[in-house]
Amino acid sequence: MPDPGERLREIAAAARKVRGQVVQMSHRSGAAHLGSSLSCVDLLLAAYAWGVRVDPRRPDAPERDRLILSKGHAASALYAVAAEVGFFDEELLQTFGTPGGRLPEQPAPRCLPGIEAATGSLGHGLSLGVGMALASRIQQLGFRVVVIMSDGECNEGSVWEAAMFAAGQGIDNLTVLVDYNKWQATGRSNEVMALAPLAKKFEAFGWSATEVDGHDFAALRTQLTAHPQTLGKPTALVCHTIKGKGVSFMEDDNNWHYRVPTAGETERAWQELGLDLRELTSDSRLPEVRPS
């Protein structure tokens, strides 16, 4: 019997690797939203491990589960995790944010295998997910849909319209993970809008809702494998996370919503993550990018 603890350790190691790639991608491309990308790495890895059934060799299989990253500004994390899962070669990550490349700063429609939707205009990913989940039921395909949203996009009215529709239709093959890192672009999420208590809001809209530590893989596994949590209801997991997670000088510092790491900061992040610096410093394509 496989050791479940070993699987958790493998995913934790993958998370460190992905975070290093995400930091390097930001440095190389000059792309912002690094802190937001780091906060959802664990959610993406957990969703692929226990939330969705996908075969990277058959990315268009009609019966595949769907994962939508509604917070498209965290695309670097989605790309790095998709490469880790095996949808494409991780060498392609080096082209992130380059003109004419296949990895734009916000996901483009079907730009690569495993990228289910164009996202980035916040508040639309849940509506897409609801439609896909309903289509799964109508067509009797039996697939599940997982949507990862930011807490800030819960400001959008379209989120709650979709939430009401999903509950009204009893769509229980839909799971939402809210990356509740407590920050949005210009301030604390709960100071900009009265989001809290977020789980109770989903419950009031007819969902089954649970709060969970979004960096605890064992807890995420428990929640994602208990599906659906309530028959006839969509599921919301309000995942408490830390913006900039994994790099001490970025954690819970909203400057990293827009800042880009220098070469030195990238190297320091890799050191903290326990990654092999030879793989970083041997990359002669790394330009020196100053903070914006």
Side-chain angles (χ1 to χ4, degrees):
M1 177 179 294
D3 177 5
E6 179 61 24
R7 179 64 174 144
L8 291 175
R9 288 188 289 273
E10 288 175 357
I11 294 179
R16 290 193 296 274
K17 173 186 172 184
V18 166
R19 285 193 164 91
Q21 290 171 327
V22 167
V23 172
Q24 190 176 14
M25 290 161 72
S26 175
H27 167 65
R28 181 188 289 116
S29 66
H33 304 127
L34 176 54
S36 308
S37 300
L38 293 172
S39 71
C40 69
V41 166
D42 296 339
L43 304 186
L44 284 160
L45 285 166
Y48 274 115
W50 301 295
V52 295
R53 299 162 303 154
V54 294
D55 181 351
R57 299 165 298 181
R58 300 177 64 234
D60 297 319
E63 72 278 9
R64 72 189 186 283
D65 290 345
R66 273 70 163 173
L67 187 149
I68 299 172
L69 179 67
S70 187
K71 47 176 293 186
H73 54 288
S76 60
L78 174 63
Y79 298 146
V81 171
E84 180 68 19
V85 170
F87 280 108
F88 50 86
D89 195 304
E90 66 182 40
E91 286 293 311
L92 203 55
L93 299 178
Q94 297 176 7
T95 67
F96 172 67
T98 57
R102 298 181 66 188
L103 301 180
E105 289 185 32
Q106 311 259 352
R110 312 309 297 269
C111 62
L112 282 168
I115 309 303
E116 295 285 356
T119 54
S121 182
L122 295 175
H124 295 169
L126 181 55
S127 297
L128 285 169
V130 170
M132 291 178 179
L134 183 59
S136 172
R137 187 169 73 188
I138 292 171
Q139 298 176 19
Q140 299 183 339
L141 290 172
F143 65 78
R144 179 185 186 185
V145 179
V146 173
V147 178
I148 298 178
M149 302 193 307
S150 70
D151 52 359
E153 76 174 300
C154 292
N155 296 0
E156 302 280 354
S158 57
V159 167
W160 300 104
E161 292 173 25
M164 281 190 285
F165 182 79
Q169 297 300 311
I171 299 175
D172 60 7
N173 58 330
L174 172 68
T175 299
V176 166
L177 282 72
V178 180
D179 180 11
Y180 198 7
N181 65 30
K182 320 298 188 301
W183 282 106
Q184 45 195 274
T186 56
R188 289 284 187 187
S189 298
N190 286 313
E191 294 173 355
V192 176
M193 297 281 273
L195 287 182
L198 196 49
K200 290 189 179 299
K201 285 186 170 65
F202 274 101
E203 288 176 348
F205 275 70
W207 289 53
S208 176
T210 302
E211 298 189 56
V212 61
D213 181 342
H215 301 304
D216 183 335
F217 286 118
L220 289 169
R221 177 182 60 187
T222 298
Q223 296 301 328
L224 285 166
T225 54
H227 168 75
Q229 294 201 344
T230 304
L231 283 173
K233 288 186 176 183
T235 298
L237 301 180
V238 177
C239 304
H240 293 277
T241 60
I242 298 171
K243 196 164 186 172
K245 174 67 178 178
V247 181
S248 65
F249 58 93
M250 297 180 186
E251 287 191 355
D252 203 35
D253 180 352
N254 209 35
N255 285 311
W256 292 99
H257 191 84
Y258 291 117
R259 266 203 66 185
V260 172
T262 64
E265 288 166 336
T266 301
E267 182 173 328
R268 182 181 165 194
W270 271 52
Q271 287 176 323
E272 288 194 8
L273 291 164
L275 302 176
D276 188 346
L277 286 175
R278 292 171 298 182
E279 295 183 14
L280 176 66
T281 55
S282 63
D283 187 346
S284 60
R285 286 166 291 196
L286 276 177
E288 178 64 32
V289 180
R290 297 297 180 189
S292 58

